[in-house]
Amino acid sequence: MKKNKISIKDIAAAAGTSTTTVSFILNGKADHKVSPALIEKVLRIIEEKNYRPSSLAQSLRTGKTNTIALLVEDISNPFFSGIARLIEERAAKSGYKIVYSSTENNPEKTSTLLDFFQEKQVDGYIISPPDGALEDILKLKNKNIPVVLFDRHFAETNMNHVVVDNRLSSQTAIKHVINNGFKNVGCITLNSHQTQMAGRLQGYNDAIEQAGLKKYILNIDYKAGENERMVIEMAKFYKANPSMNALFFCTNYLAILGLEAMQRSNLKVGKDFAVVCFDEHDLFRLYSPPITVIAQPLAEIAENAFAILLNEMENQSNIKRVEMIEIPATLIIRQSTSNFSNFSITGSVF
Amino acid sequence: MKKNKISIKDIAAAAGTSTTTVSFILNGKADHKVSPALIEKVLRIIEEKNYRPSSLAQSLRTGKTNTIALLVEDISNPFFSGIARLIEERAAKSGYKIVYSSTENNPEKTSTLLDFFQEKQVDGYIISPPDGALEDILKLKNKNIPVVLFDRHFAETNMNHVVVDNRLSSQTAIKHVINNGFKNVGCITLNSHQTQMAGRLQGYNDAIEQAGLKKYILNIDYKAGENERMVIEMAKFYKANPSMNALFFCTNYLAILGLEAMQRSNLKVGKDFAVVCFDEHDLFRLYSPPITVIAQPLAEIAENAFAILLNEMENQSNIKRVEMIEIPATLIIRQSTSNFSNFSITGSVF
DNA sequence: AATAGTTAGTAAATCGATTTACCAAAAATA
DNA sequence: TATTTTTGGTAAATCGATTTACTAACTATT
């Protein structure tokens, strides 16, 4: 029945000193307050007993947890997990730990998560917010808790955020498709008010209108676990618009469903449709033919989001500032948007 | 300059009662200790002030955090993120929160993470351990902290774990390939001592030996960020073994690299190679041709791992028991392992 | 020698909860 | 009426750290 948890008291007792002294030593505040001999002795005992301060107790006392909550839409999406990994790395350098969770784009789950992390008193939040989470997030702001949004933000409120130039990069991508000879470009997007989706749709609209072409738009009511329904909706959309010869998917998981719908409908990328997709994915790189994408600059997004948050957390002047950053995305052209006659020459699969 | 954080004291003061009483009410221990009128009043005030107890303080006092650490190899791998999501759901039902992190198969990072979570005093651990983490994990056991391993375990120690029958399911898969007429099956695996990899390799060896065929084995020294090197190694492997006409990839990310290597070498699944892979992935389902996989039963793994942990956390009898569970995996047959002549008839791509 | 400054330390309050031990008043019982 | 039980409640210790305010013993200065 050995005593399990050792505390600062045990260390103090073993060293024949006070907890104050041990605490000073632990926090590097011992410089001219504690004799070198005692410092060394205490450190030795700490080492021997393999003592680690309880961060629970530390945080209770100091009000700092050195922990940041990262709320993403879906951690299994490579866009978000890529961001998460980069932020985690960056945060470690500044002594912060990241804890992440998926909101699944569900405002209720988000609300629960925010409550949870507030109880844990994390120091700051990096959030890709779902529709409907504005109110809960504003509550954070009102408590002066540092928050940065990314991937999307709330048009009706000025809050720190880091996003890409969804509109312009989408427009560029659609123009590329049109210039390659595809005059009937469809757009598959989410039925959502999220700013990034709105931006991508606008980019599509811009390009189509400028070229004076016809619009084909499908709004998908996205729900996790209802893949079957969504695949069927897309297949119907394809069937209902036989003139459509190109598709713009507004996000990677829509494209994955869309490819599945093609497979079932016996339609092929590079034969029946040119395809371009917002967001990168292993699948797109390795697909036959490889699929053109708009790739987001993960490193810049992660770096900027963290930098803004760090500033808010550590600069406690009472000047209030809001930082809103928009970063360009990159069009990676692959064979899925090649002119089909060209393609059938160079590609070997068709 | 309003006071920001409200505590149980504020509630007690506002209700003209003691913190003891408030605490009893919060914890449902008020039944015959506090009058209904007072209970109602306190609850009303809590509601009004939107008070939430600091879980930091609660945990410090009670020693429980109701939090479980889930350490996976890589949260962006759909196998692990799928497991994470299921465990998270299951844990919520029992009042636990999951915090997850990626070890990246790095024992040092794992060690750091374990320290971090111990400081935070999480109640238990679910871990897919990297090679070399045994010592740190044994330290947890010695402190009587509940731990369950999954996906792999340590052959030299009996610890709670949940894995699939790697050996048998691999053997079955390879037999299927052989029976479809492919007599020169290669195996690409990790250069690692992890039990799941060893099991998969054994399954391959079993099947090849039983059929009296030649082995082609490539051990990849996996390092994140060195994709280029690994792709090149695989391409060389293909080139060096022109007789090889089928491939078994021991895990999904190896297969993704392997497909990239084929693309660069102008080799094709369903024409140059039959392919089977351990673990499911969107890419495999949607590839042309779709790729045969050994799919792990995520729900059963998650359910069993959590159940074992819950039992350890809540049943504090001093009976020590170890639970080791092996679950069958499922072979999902797709066109990548069809007999090529058949395939070229039914498939339309070739 | 008297005073000021430095060195090396500690006691006790505090963060925000839970929980034990105790108590006064009212109700029930003898 | 005296005693016991029940009801309704609280004071204070505690979890494990940090931090403020203080002090005793030297050393240096004038």
Side-chain angles (χ1 to χ4, degrees):
Chain A
M1 187 83 71
K2 71 169 179 174
K3 204 182 138 214
N4 226 342
K5 198 65 196 165
I6 58 172
S7 79
I8 195 170
K9 276 186 201 158
D10 303 315
I11 302 298
T17 183
S18 70
T19 62
T20 307
T21 301
V22 176
S23 175
F24 282 156
I25 294 174
L26 280 169
N27 294 287
K29 296 183 180 164
D31 266 13
H32 279 273
K33 319 221 60 167
V34 184
S35 65
L38 186 49
I39 293 183
E40 208 195 328
K41 182 176 181 189
V42 168
L43 288 177
R44 210 195 55 235
I45 293 175
I46 287 176
E47 179 71 16
E48 267 171 20
K49 304 212 169 200
N50 192 28
Y51 161 72
R52 306 247 174 264
S54 152
S55 68
L56 240 39
Q58 288 180 315
S59 299
L60 178 60
R61 179 58 231 241
T62 62
K64 274 220 78 177
T65 55
N66 291 308
T67 302
I68 293 165
L70 174 58
L71 302 194
V72 300
E73 174 175 333
D74 173 12
I75 193 67
S76 66
N77 184 320
F79 169 67
F80 290 110
S81 56
I83 294 270
R85 179 173 296 193
L86 291 164
I87 290 183
E88 191 176 352
E89 256 171 44
R90 176 64 190 79
K93 285 185 195 149
S94 299
Y96 286 89
K97 269 293 304 182
I98 299 291
V99 296
Y100 33 87
S101 264
S102 299
T103 66
E104 291 159 33
N105 246 346
N106 175 335
E108 287 81 33
K109 186 174 179 201
T110 306
S111 187
T112 308
L113 285 171
L114 290 179
D115 273 352
F116 172 78
F117 287 123
Q118 275 176 271
E119 285 166 17
K120 299 267 184 202
Q121 283 173 240
V122 302
D123 298 331
Y125 294 82
I126 300 177
I127 309 177
S128 67
D131 267 347
L134 177 56
E135 204 181 328
D136 284 308
I137 294 176
L138 280 179
K139 277 189 204 151
L140 287 184
K141 286 308 298 170
N142 292 338
K143 292 179 193 162
N144 280 319
I145 299 173
V147 178
V148 179
L149 307 181
F150 78 102
D151 189 49
R152 59 201 84 163
H153 63 107
F154 297 105
E156 58 269 51
T157 320
N158 286 339
M159 293 182 67
N160 292 327
H161 67 251
V162 179
V163 297
V164 294
D165 188 342
N166 288 288
R167 184 170 181 173
L168 184 62
S169 52
S170 298
Q171 193 191 345
T172 307
I174 302 300
K175 277 186 183 168
H176 155 77
V177 171
I178 294 172
N179 289 341
N180 275 18
F182 302 94
K183 303 299 181 196
N184 293 84
V185 189
C187 172
I188 298 188
T189 183
L190 292 188
N191 191 4
S192 144
H193 294 107
Q194 294 172 30
T195 54
Q196 86 283 24
M197 289 300 157
R200 294 170 196 180
L201 181 58
Q202 279 190 353
Y204 167 84
N205 283 332
D206 291 348
I208 299 294
E209 285 166 14
Q210 278 172 30
L213 298 173
K214 178 169 178 217
K215 291 180 190 167
Y216 306 79
I217 297 173
L218 175 63
N219 280 294
I220 291 280
D221 208 356
Y222 190 87
K223 293 232 171 53
E226 300 188 2
N227 287 0
E228 189 58 24
R229 189 205 80 226
M230 299 184 283
V231 167
I232 291 172
E233 277 182 41
M234 293 192 197
K236 281 190 189 156
F237 179 62
Y238 302 159
K239 194 166 185 186
N241 298 283
S243 56
M244 199 163 61
N245 61 0
L247 281 169
F248 171 45
F249 291 98
C250 286
T251 182
N252 52 15
Y253 50 87
L254 284 176
I256 291 175
L257 295 171
L259 291 173
E260 179 132 23
M262 286 186 207
Q263 187 176 283
R264 294 207 201 162
S265 310
N266 211 22
L267 295 166
K268 300 229 173 302
V269 180
K271 180 162 149 278
D272 305 293
F273 290 123
V275 167
V276 59
C277 178
F278 215 104
D279 292 327
E280 178 61 295
H281 195 284
D282 278 334
L283 174 56
F284 305 151
R285 232 180 50 246
L286 294 172
Y287 205 77
S288 306
I291 293 174
T292 295
V293 299
I294 300 161
Q296 303 197 45
L298 301 194
E300 280 89 339
I301 296 173
E303 176 60 35
N304 279 286
F306 185 78
I308 294 173
L309 193 70
L310 190 65
N311 187 322
E312 286 238 339
M313 291 190 305
E314 309 205 325
N315 248 3
Q316 44 241 25
S317 82
N318 41 16
I319 300 167
K320 289 278 151 251
R321 82 158 132 179
V322 176
E323 297 201 59
M324 311 202 286
I325 296 185
E326 200 174 76
I327 304 176
T330 310
L331 182 65
I332 301 180
I333 296 173
R334 301 200 179 107
Q335 293 176 37
S336 72
T337 48
S338 300
N339 180 295
F340 290 164
S341 54
N342 285 345
F343 179 65
S344 61
I345 294 167
T346 58
S348 58
V349 201
F350 294 95
Chain B
M1 187 84 69
K2 70 172 181 180
K3 206 184 136 214
N4 227 340
K5 198 66 196 165
I6 58 173
S7 79
I8 194 170
K9 273 185 202 158
D10 302 315
I11 303 297
T17 182
S18 70
T19 63
T20 307
T21 301
V22 176
S23 176
F24 282 156
I25 293 173
L26 279 169
N27 294 287
K29 294 183 179 163
D31 267 12
H32 280 274
K33 317 221 63 169
V34 184
S35 65
L38 186 51
I39 293 183
E40 206 193 330
K41 181 176 182 188
V42 168
L43 289 177
R44 209 195 57 233
I45 293 175
I46 287 176
E47 179 70 18
E48 266 170 23
K49 306 212 169 204
N50 192 29
Y51 162 70
R52 306 248 172 263
S54 151
S55 67
L56 240 38
Q58 288 180 315
S59 299
L60 178 60
R61 178 59 229 243
T62 62
K64 276 219 78 176
T65 55
N66 291 308
T67 302
I68 293 165
L70 173 58
L71 302 194
V72 300
E73 176 176 332
D74 173 12
I75 193 66
S76 66
N77 184 319
F79 169 67
F80 290 111
S81 56
I83 295 270
R85 179 173 294 195
L86 290 164
I87 290 182
E88 192 177 351
E89 256 171 43
R90 175 67 189 76
K93 285 185 194 148
S94 299
Y96 285 88
K97 268 292 304 181
I98 300 291
V99 295
Y100 34 87
S101 264
S102 299
T103 67
E104 289 159 35
N105 246 348
N106 176 335
E108 287 79 36
K109 184 173 181 201
T110 306
S111 188
T112 307
L113 286 170
L114 290 178
D115 273 353
F116 172 78
F117 287 123
Q118 275 174 272
E119 284 165 19
K120 298 266 183 204
Q121 281 170 242
V122 303
D123 297 333
Y125 294 82
I126 301 178
I127 309 177
S128 66
D131 268 347
L134 176 55
E135 203 180 328
D136 284 309
I137 294 177
L138 280 179
K139 276 188 205 151
L140 286 184
K141 286 309 297 172
N142 293 339
K143 292 180 193 161
N144 280 319
I145 299 173
V147 178
V148 179
L149 308 180
F150 79 102
D151 190 49
R152 59 202 82 162
H153 61 107
F154 297 105
E156 57 270 49
T157 320
N158 287 337
M159 293 182 67
N160 293 327
H161 66 251
V162 179
V163 297
V164 295
D165 189 340
N166 289 288
R167 183 171 182 172
L168 185 62
S169 52
S170 298
Q171 194 190 345
T172 307
I174 303 299
K175 277 187 182 168
H176 155 76
V177 171
I178 295 172
N179 289 340
N180 275 18
F182 302 93
K183 304 299 181 196
N184 293 85
V185 188
C187 171
I188 298 187
T189 183
L190 290 189
N191 191 5
S192 142
H193 294 106
Q194 294 172 29
T195 54
Q196 86 283 24
M197 289 300 156
R200 294 170 196 179
L201 181 57
Q202 279 191 353
Y204 167 84
N205 283 332
D206 291 348
I208 300 294
E209 285 167 14
Q210 278 171 31
L213 297 173
K214 177 164 178 219
K215 291 180 190 168
Y216 306 79
I217 297 174
L218 175 62
N219 281 293
I220 293 280
D221 209 354
Y222 190 87
K223 292 233 170 53
E226 301 188 1
N227 287 359
E228 188 58 24
R229 190 205 81 228
M230 299 185 282
V231 167
I232 290 172
E233 278 183 40
M234 293 191 196
K236 281 189 188 157
F237 179 62
Y238 302 159
K239 193 165 185 187
N241 298 283
S243 56
M244 201 164 59
N245 61 359
L247 280 170
F248 171 46
F249 291 98
C250 286
T251 181
N252 50 16
Y253 51 86
L254 285 176
I256 291 174
L257 296 171
L259 291 174
E260 179 132 24
M262 286 187 206
Q263 187 176 284
R264 295 207 201 164
S265 310
N266 209 20
L267 296 166
K268 299 231 174 300
V269 179
K271 177 161 150 281
D272 305 293
F273 289 125
V275 168
V276 58
C277 178
F278 216 105
D279 292 328
E280 178 62 295
H281 195 284
D282 278 333
L283 173 57
F284 304 151
R285 232 180 49 245
L286 294 173
Y287 206 76
S288 309
I291 293 174
T292 296
V293 299
I294 300 161
Q296 302 198 46
L298 301 194
E300 280 89 338
I301 296 173
E303 175 61 35
N304 278 285
F306 186 79
I308 294 173
L309 193 70
L310 191 64
N311 187 323
E312 285 236 340
M313 291 190 305
E314 307 207 326
N315 248 1
Q316 43 242 27
S317 81
N318 40 14
I319 300 167
K320 288 278 153 252
R321 81 157 131 178
V322 176
E323 297 201 60
M324 310 201 287
I325 296 185
E326 201 173 74
I327 304 177
T330 311
L331 183 64
I332 301 181
I333 296 174
R334 302 202 178 106
Q335 292 177 38
S336 73
T337 49
S338 299
N339 179 295
F340 290 162
S341 53
N342 287 343
F343 179 64
S344 61
I345 294 166
T346 57
S348 58
V349 200
F350 293 96

